[in-house]
């Protein structure tokens, strides 16, 4: 381990010889870069060592394919995991800089939309920490998720130029560039032995350039990689067109190729249907498979034994083309028999589903496939043909199965169903929480469950305690280490031992003091950034996540409106409460954007009304991202997890909040159910209909109007939307009013009363501070199983065949 002096020396040397700067003229950003480069050297030593060990032990390797990795900042995380945080802090201070300011310089790597991308980031941390030979594979987007600014109470999107080309964490491997064919057409033919041998002709070439981001496990022993590919154009291809004299076309095609990795698609839970997106998905998969076959060639020449050494995890259907590309390589390039190739592919691949939303399920027009990936389309037809033949033979009395299991949607424009492809090509299919996995088998793909029940399994999500406890909440981490020793960081079940301390009022007061400190810090940050003063003694009630109808930020803000009207119209008083909201709406999602506007208009009204002073504040925090979450979560008293039952696959912020000592107000949805089981029902504010009841309610048709009329509290809050109270233009929030009262798929008003009662209870309980923090402590103590280490152990033994 380097000494403080050595770190200082290295920072100065990096400034001088890598960045051409002297200490005297260095800015905070320069120091950040120099420290990151210094740290990277230590990570690289670990990386080479890891490679040697993994090679020597012939470890089975896991490839995690994901279109999104929502990494956030890396400096503090890498320093912590390498074990150099304290030394680096000291070194930076001794060089005359403020360490907190240096870490704040780092732009978030926002290469993801939300839950799915952040899960991938937690997983690579856990895999390295558990010494699993693994690599993440994704796209090096030049622009990450857009930056959100609020103007006139509305969301405005700005490009997120996160300086991907200068990131000190990314190591470009230009020498390993890969050539990816796309487009063209198929010419039928036979090989010398008369076997069918189609030729993929006239394709264009994309170039993939790998960049490695080093993923250091906690303790620094294992350093894996996250490999992100950027797209370029091939020179040889250019020459081809140049020679034909078509200079302008050559240049524009070059630009088009480079555009492939330009931007992350900002819509989650809704499929864009854009050609560029399908190209991105193929690009990721094709680059990754070249790496997989290249790696495998280093350890074996027996391609049929590949599943013994390689496992591939597909993060949703976005990389499902890996199945097809693998078949293409095995059949067309390795000349394997189809059935042999198919056996290898199925044994290697596994698929995780992350959503039940029908609008998120990917389908791609056959015509688009024909244009971009003619050979892959042929292969999909062949997979489908053989698969359906088998089904027809096995279940001759169930012909209806064929339509639902087919890889093609035949109604309307013919489309490829990516979920069906992913299921057929995988040996395991998993959901991300118990309820979600159950709903997959019962409502999403019951016919697949019928034919292959053994494929389906559950792996409840988890979050890395390194980032979400140790780093985000140093005050709590210090307390935990004092009480439990250091072991909890890699063995979160150790938190159980806190249980017996819950009766010790001195300990509970410490928990209370830690929360207060975190709230004070958040208040300072909000005051500095948004100029708003909040009372840290108030109850902090937070809902931070993507803005979506199903997540029901509307239910939350309707209840805030209700509380406001109680104060100003009914003369009610309440203990101080702060409602924090944050989250981005997909740029094309009009209803979600209107919800943001409503929250901001309500906030403006409530905060400027002298009658609510000291009782009610509402704030929408701009530009939600990982680094902001790290400040909000440790400062939260009440965590809002209020999705309509049966819609949130798992949720992961619910875990982060509870782990940091927030109590949850939530529905029986996703992992909320398991969290409630773990922390105890008395330490969780449950409300609302369960998934079955929602189903029944929906089937009976929408009864929202009746609910509204029967309950004056609901009526008053809902009518306030169109009364001009929050915006002089009474028509602005009509779409929301209309949706709530005339056909609301997410049943806001159905759950309103039950939510209001739970909120009231939480509010009353919060006045009993000692009891409240005792229950907060019990939440923390029981969250051990929501470490992503537990999740990854589950994947490793039950899906990947690693470490068992
Ligand atoms: C094709 C467009 C698209 C993009 C992203 C569709 C769907 C997605 C994701 C599936 C959205 C997502 O992030 N889902 C979330 O995944 C988390 C991790 O498993 C879960 O905790 C969340 O409940 C789920 O909404």
């Amino acid at each position: 381990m380097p000494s403080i002096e050595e770190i200082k020396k290295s920072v100065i040397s990096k400034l001088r010889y890598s960045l051409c700067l002297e200490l005297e003229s260095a800015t905070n950003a320069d120091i950040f870069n120099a420290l990151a480069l210094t740290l990277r050297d230590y990570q690289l030593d670990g990386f080479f060592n890891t490679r040697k060990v993994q090679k020597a032990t012939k470890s089975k390797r896991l490839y995690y394919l994901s279109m999104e990795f929502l990494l956030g900042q890396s400096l503090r995380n890498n320093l912590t995991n390498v074990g150099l945080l304290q030394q680096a802090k000291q070194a930076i201070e001794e060089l005359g800089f403020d360490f907190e300011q240096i870490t704040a310089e780092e732009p978030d790597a926002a290469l993801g939309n939300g839950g799915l991308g952040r899960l991938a980031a937690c997983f690579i941390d856990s895999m390295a920490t558990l010494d699993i030979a693994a690599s993440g594979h994704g796209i090096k987007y030049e622009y990450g998720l857009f930056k959100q600014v609020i103007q006139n109470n509305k969301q405005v999107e700005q490009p997120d130029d996160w300086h991907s080309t200068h990131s000190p964490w990314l190591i470009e491997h230009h020498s390993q560039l890969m050539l990816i064919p796309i487009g063209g057409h198929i010419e039928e033919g036979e090989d010398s032995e008369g076997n069918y041998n189609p030729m993929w002709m006239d394709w264009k070439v994309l170039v993939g350039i790998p960049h490695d981001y080093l993923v250091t496990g906690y303790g620094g022993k294992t350093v894996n990689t996250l490999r992100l590919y950027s797209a370029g154009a091939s020179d040889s291809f250019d020459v081809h067109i140049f020679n034909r004299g078509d200079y302008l076309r050559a240049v524009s095609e070059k630009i088009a190729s480079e555009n492939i990795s330009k931007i992350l698609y900002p819509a989650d839970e809704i499929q864009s249907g854009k050609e560029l997106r399908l190209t991105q998905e193929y690009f990721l998969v094709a680059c990754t498979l070249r790496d997989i076959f290249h790696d495998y060639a280093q350890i074996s020449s027996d391609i049929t034994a590949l599943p013994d050494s390689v496992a591939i995890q597909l993060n949703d259907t976005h990389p499902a083309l890996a199945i097809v590309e693998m078949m293409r390589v095995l059949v067309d390039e390795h000349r394997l028999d189809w059935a042999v190739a198919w056996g290898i592919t199925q044994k290697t691949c596994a698929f995780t589903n992350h959503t039940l939303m029908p609008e998120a399920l990917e389908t791609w027009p056959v015509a688009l496939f024909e244009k971009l990936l003619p050979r892959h389309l042929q292969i999909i037809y062949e997979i489908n043909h053989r698969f359906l033949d088998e089904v027809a033979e096995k279940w001759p009395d169930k012909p209806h199965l064929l339509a639902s299991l087919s890889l093609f949607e035949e109604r309307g424009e013919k489309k490829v169903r990516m979920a069906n492809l992913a299921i057929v090509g995988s040996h395991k299919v998993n959901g991300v929480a118990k309820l979600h996995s159950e709903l997959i088998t019962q409502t999403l793909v019951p016919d697949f469950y019928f034919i292959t029940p053994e494929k389906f399994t559950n792996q409840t999500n988890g979050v890395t305690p390194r980032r979400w406890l140790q780093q985000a909440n140093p005050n709590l981490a210090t307390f935990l280490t004092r009480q439990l020793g250091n072991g909890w960081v890699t063995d979160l079940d150790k938190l159980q031992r806190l249980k017996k301390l819950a009766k010790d009022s001195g300990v509970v007061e410490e928990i209370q003091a830690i929360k207060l400190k975190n709230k004070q810090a958040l208040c300072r940050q909000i005051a500095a950034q948004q100029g708003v003063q909040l009372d840290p003694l108030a109850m902090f009630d937070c809902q931070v996540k993507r803005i979506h109808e199903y997540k029901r930020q509307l239910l939350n803000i309707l209840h805030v409106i209700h509380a406001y009207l109680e104060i100003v119209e009914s003369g009610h008083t309440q203990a101080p409460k702060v409602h924090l909201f944050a989250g981005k709406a997909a740029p094309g999602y009009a209803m979600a954007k209107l919800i943001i506007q409503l929250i901001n208009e309500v906030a403006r009204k409530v905060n400027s009304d002298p009658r609510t002073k000291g009782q009610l504040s509402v704030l929408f925090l701009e530009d939600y991202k990982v680094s902001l979450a790290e400040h909000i979560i440790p400062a939260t008293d009440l965590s809002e997890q209020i999705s309509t039952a049966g819609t949130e696959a798992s949720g992961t912020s619910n875990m982060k909040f509870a782990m940091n000592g927030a109590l949850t107000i939530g529905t029986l949805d996703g992992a909320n159910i398991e969290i409630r089981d773990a922390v105890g029902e008395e330490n969780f504010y449950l409300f609302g209909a369960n998934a079955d009841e929602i189903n029944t309610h929906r089937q009976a048709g929408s009864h929202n109007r009746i609910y509204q009329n029967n309950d004056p509290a609901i009526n008053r809050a809902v009518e306030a939307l169109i009364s001009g109270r929050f915006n002089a233009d009474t028509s602005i929030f009509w779409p929301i009013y209309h949706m709530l009262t005339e056909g609301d798929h997410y049943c806001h008003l159905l759950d309103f009363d039950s939510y209001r009662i739970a909120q009231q209870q939480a509010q009353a309980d919060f006045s009993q501070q000692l009891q409240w923090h005792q229950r907060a402590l019990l939440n923390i103590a029981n969250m051990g199983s929501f470490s992503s280490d537990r999740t990854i152990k589950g994947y490793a033994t039950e899906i990947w065949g690693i470490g068992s």
Side-chain angles (χ1 to χ4, degrees):
M1 275 294 123
S3 67
I4 291 163
E5 278 313 309
E6 283 167 324
I7 295 176
K8 278 160 68 178
K9 241 173 99 184
S10 170
V11 167
I12 291 167
S13 146
K14 292 292 181 196
L15 275 175
R16 195 176 176 89
Y17 299 111
S18 301
L19 304 169
C20 186
L21 291 163
E22 286 184 311
L23 186 61
E24 296 68 45
S25 58
T27 62
N28 282 343
D30 299 329
I31 297 291
F32 161 73
N33 279 310
L35 178 58
L37 290 174
T38 295
L39 176 58
R40 205 177 79 178
D41 287 349
Y42 299 115
Q43 290 181 283
L44 278 167
D45 289 335
F47 163 75
F48 288 115
N49 197 40
T50 300
R51 228 175 34 177
K52 214 181 292 160
V53 171
Q54 291 175 352
K55 204 169 170 192
T57 54
K58 297 201 166 81
S59 320
K60 183 167 184 179
R61 176 168 282 279
L62 179 274
Y63 295 85
Y64 195 83
L65 273 62
S66 178
M67 287 289 283
E68 306 190 8
F69 287 89
L70 187 43
L71 299 168
Q73 299 175 324
S74 292
L75 180 61
R76 186 182 300 270
N77 183 251
N78 289 340
L79 283 171
T80 309
N81 285 8
V82 171
L84 284 177
L85 183 65
Q86 293 316 325
Q87 294 90 313
K89 233 181 198 170
Q90 176 103 27
I92 293 302
E93 307 281 337
E94 286 180 18
L95 288 173
F97 290 84
D98 181 305
F99 184 74
E100 294 303 317
Q101 282 176 18
I102 300 300
T103 55
E105 274 301 319
E106 179 174 7
D108 275 45
L111 309 185
N113 274 287
L116 164 138
R118 184 53 233 177
L119 186 76
C122 284
F123 278 8
I124 55 176
D125 178 85
S126 281
M127 292 187 285
T129 298
L130 292 166
D131 302 318
I132 292 176
S135 48
H137 294 260
I139 293 180
K140 191 189 80 120
Y141 300 107
E142 206 172 308
Y143 293 91
L145 185 61
F146 64 86
K147 286 198 177 307
Q148 177 194 58
V149 290
I150 302 296
Q151 282 173 6
N152 293 328
N153 298 316
K154 292 182 205 154
Q155 166 174 302
V156 174
E157 299 93 24
Q158 289 177 353
D160 168 46
D161 183 4
W162 69 287
H163 309 298
S164 60
T165 42
H166 309 115
S167 170
W169 307 118
L170 290 173
I171 303 167
E172 181 175 327
H173 288 287
H174 211 271
S175 62
Q176 296 176 32
L177 58 78
M178 16 195 107
L179 303 179
I180 314 292
I182 189 164
H185 65 272
I186 301 296
E187 275 176 23
E188 314 278 325
E190 288 180 356
D191 66 14
S192 52
E193 283 150 41
N195 300 314
Y196 179 59
N197 188 17
M199 294 285 284
W200 183 4
M201 309 287 286
D202 279 341
W203 29 264
K204 298 189 294 180
V205 177
L206 306 175
V207 173
I209 305 149
H211 303 254
D212 286 338
Y213 168 100
L214 301 174
V215 183
T216 305
Y218 186 73
K221 187 166 134 218
T222 295
V223 180
N224 285 330
T225 56
L226 166 60
R227 182 157 261 222
L228 301 175
Y229 306 94
S230 70
S234 131
D235 291 344
S236 54
F237 173 62
D238 286 349
V239 168
H240 190 66
I241 319 182
F242 273 119
N243 290 346
R244 293 209 308 256
D246 200 347
Y247 171 74
L248 284 179
R249 206 186 121 210
V251 173
S252 66
E253 297 217 349
K254 185 172 160 68
I255 293 169
S257 313
E258 287 163 358
N259 277 345
I260 288 163
S261 56
K262 264 284 178 267
I263 181 158
L264 163 77
Y265 275 86
D268 64 331
E269 310 281 0
I270 178 111
Q271 208 215 324
S272 68
K274 294 277 190 294
E275 176 175 329
L276 181 57
R277 167 74 182 195
L278 182 61
T279 308
Q280 286 183 335
E281 295 183 358
Y282 167 63
F283 175 71
L284 164 64
V285 153
C287 289
T288 306
L289 275 147
R290 274 157 189 68
D291 269 326
I292 293 176
F293 282 107
H294 175 266
D295 292 350
Y296 186 67
Q298 315 296 304
I299 55 172
S300 170
S301 55
D302 176 9
I303 200 75
T304 61
L306 184 113
D308 297 337
S309 302
V310 174
I312 294 177
Q313 191 65 35
L314 306 173
N315 199 21
D316 216 283
T317 56
H318 318 153
L321 277 175
I323 291 163
V324 189
E325 174 70 358
M326 187 162 208
M327 284 302 285
R328 188 191 67 75
V329 173
L330 293 176
V331 171
D332 291 359
E333 294 178 12
H334 290 266
R335 311 298 301 160
L336 286 191
D337 174 68
W338 182 280
V340 175
W342 186 239
I344 294 171
T345 302
Q346 272 187 323
K347 263 190 234 147
T348 307
C349 296
F351 158 56
T352 307
N353 168 278
H354 294 268
T355 178
L356 301 165
M357 296 284 140
E359 60 271 32
L361 292 181
E362 280 191 297
T363 56
W364 290 104
V366 163
L368 190 56
F369 257 95
E370 182 86 61
K371 175 178 159 202
L372 296 178
L373 303 165
R375 178 60 186 142
H376 294 76
L377 179 62
Q378 261 192 336
I379 293 170
I380 297 172
Y381 272 124
E382 185 66 18
I383 294 172
N384 194 45
H385 172 71
R386 291 177 183 240
F387 168 58
L388 292 184
D389 274 0
E390 224 178 277
V391 173
E393 196 183 330
K394 223 163 158 185
W395 292 279
D397 55 330
K398 292 193 166 55
H400 67 276
L401 287 177
L402 301 180
S404 70
L405 297 177
S406 170
L407 303 195
F408 294 93
E409 168 76 60
E410 307 274 357
R411 270 177 311 174
E413 188 187 11
K414 189 163 178 172
K415 288 176 171 165
V416 180
R417 294 165 165 164
M418 302 300 271
N420 293 28
L421 170 65
I423 296 171
V424 174
S426 296
H427 68 285
K428 287 283 175 195
V429 176
N430 77 284
V432 290
K434 279 183 194 156
L435 173 68
H436 171 63
S437 296
E438 207 177 293
L439 291 172
I440 289 177
T441 61
Q442 286 171 12
T443 64
L444 189 70
V445 288
D447 290 340
F448 276 106
Y449 182 61
F450 170 75
I451 62 163
T452 45
E454 68 287 351
K455 263 193 194 182
F456 290 83
T457 146
N458 172 248
Q459 298 299 337
T460 299
N461 284 166
V463 301
T464 170
R466 270 74 65 187
R467 182 175 293 262
W468 296 108
L469 244 186
Q470 190 187 28
Q471 294 153 37
N473 199 342
N475 296 319
L476 183 56
T478 305
F479 164 86
L480 294 175
T481 301
R482 183 154 38 78
Q483 295 293 344
L484 311 168
N486 204 18
W488 63 271
V489 178
T490 48
D491 179 6
L492 207 63
D493 287 325
K494 287 218 160 81
L495 295 182
Q496 281 283 346
R497 297 194 204 151
L498 292 173
K499 261 180 167 166
K500 60 175 192 295
L501 300 175
K503 292 205 176 66
D504 182 333
S505 60
V507 169
V508 175
E509 275 163 14
E510 262 188 85
I511 291 291
Q512 180 178 1
I514 289 166
K515 183 64 76 179
L516 181 61
K517 247 181 157 177
N518 294 340
K519 288 163 77 175
Q520 285 163 335
L522 181 63
C523 287
R524 280 196 300 275
Q525 187 180 338
I526 291 174
Q529 280 168 12
Q530 256 162 286
V532 180
Q533 298 290 343
L534 298 172
D535 172 11
L537 292 175
M539 179 196 234
F540 279 27
D541 171 322
C542 303
Q543 187 172 19
V544 295
K545 48 182 83 246
R546 285 300 284 252
I547 311 293
H548 244 285
E549 286 161 274
Y550 87 79
K551 295 179 188 282
R552 296 202 298 196
Q553 282 91 355
L554 256 182
L555 177 60
N556 187 346
I557 197 67
L558 261 187
H559 175 258
V560 172
I561 293 173
H562 164 74
Y564 172 64
L565 296 175
E566 285 286 279
I567 295 169
V568 301
E569 289 197 346
S570 311
H572 200 91
T573 54
Q574 66 167 42
K577 187 147 185 213
V578 171
H579 295 270
L580 293 179
F581 292 83
K584 293 175 182 177
Y589 189 175
M591 183 58 90
K593 291 180 125 175
L594 197 57
I595 294 169
I596 292 179
Q597 186 181 354
L598 176 64
I599 295 169
N600 279 298
E601 306 257 15
V602 170
R604 188 180 46 86
K605 180 82 187 172
V606 168
N607 299 343
S608 63
D609 191 326
R611 295 170 292 181
T612 64
K613 206 166 170 41
Q615 300 188 58
L616 190 61
S617 311
V618 186
L619 206 58
F620 187 93
L621 300 174
E622 220 170 50
D623 201 32
Y624 185 58
K625 52 184 166 182
V626 173
S627 57
L628 182 55
E630 288 167 8
H631 288 104
I632 296 172
I633 290 170
T636 295
D637 296 304
L638 191 65
S639 153
E640 298 270 353
Q641 307 298 337
I642 61 178
S643 52
T644 314
T647 62
E648 187 71 272
S650 160
T652 41
S653 79
N654 46 2
M655 303 168 185
K656 296 165 194 165
F657 278 110
M659 223 175 247
N660 281 280
L663 271 62
T664 305
I665 182 163
T667 48
L668 286 177
D669 200 18
N672 291 356
I673 301 174
E674 290 153 79
I675 292 174
R676 179 167 170 268
D677 286 345
V679 304
E681 56 184 62
E682 64 288 3
N683 301 316
F684 187 109
Y685 294 97
L686 179 69
F687 76 95
N690 67 23
D692 280 344
E693 289 160 353
I694 291 288
N695 230 343
T696 312
H697 177 77
R698 281 178 184 160
Q699 271 160 12
S702 171
H703 291 140
N704 289 328
R705 190 87 222 174
I706 298 169
Y707 277 99
Q708 187 195 339
N709 289 339
N710 282 348
D711 186 333
I714 297 181
N715 209 12
R716 186 174 61 170
V718 174
E719 295 300 327
L721 295 174
I722 52 165
S723 66
R725 200 184 264 274
F726 302 114
N727 190 306
D729 178 354
T730 53
S731 69
I732 286 238
F733 300 119
W734 252 101
I736 295 180
Y737 180 87
H738 186 266
M739 181 270 284
L740 287 174
T741 55
E742 285 169 49
D744 165 15
H745 190 63
Y746 299 109
C747 309
H748 293 80
L749 302 187
L750 175 71
D751 281 350
F752 183 91
D753 196 46
S754 157
Y755 180 58
R756 185 180 59 80
I757 293 167
Q759 275 284 359
Q760 223 166 29
Q761 188 63 50
Q763 180 101 0
D765 291 349
F766 192 70
S767 66
Q768 306 293 315
Q769 280 286 292
L770 209 60
Q771 280 98 314
W772 179 275
H773 290 287
Q774 190 174 39
R775 292 158 73 219
L777 180 60
L778 288 171
N779 265 263
I780 300 167
N782 287 304
M783 288 301 291
S785 66
F786 297 93
S787 162
S788 46
D789 298 346
R790 186 270 307 145
T791 312
I792 287 301
K793 283 182 202 159
Y795 277 88
T797 54
E798 290 167 39
I799 299 179
W800 305 332
I802 290 179
S804 48

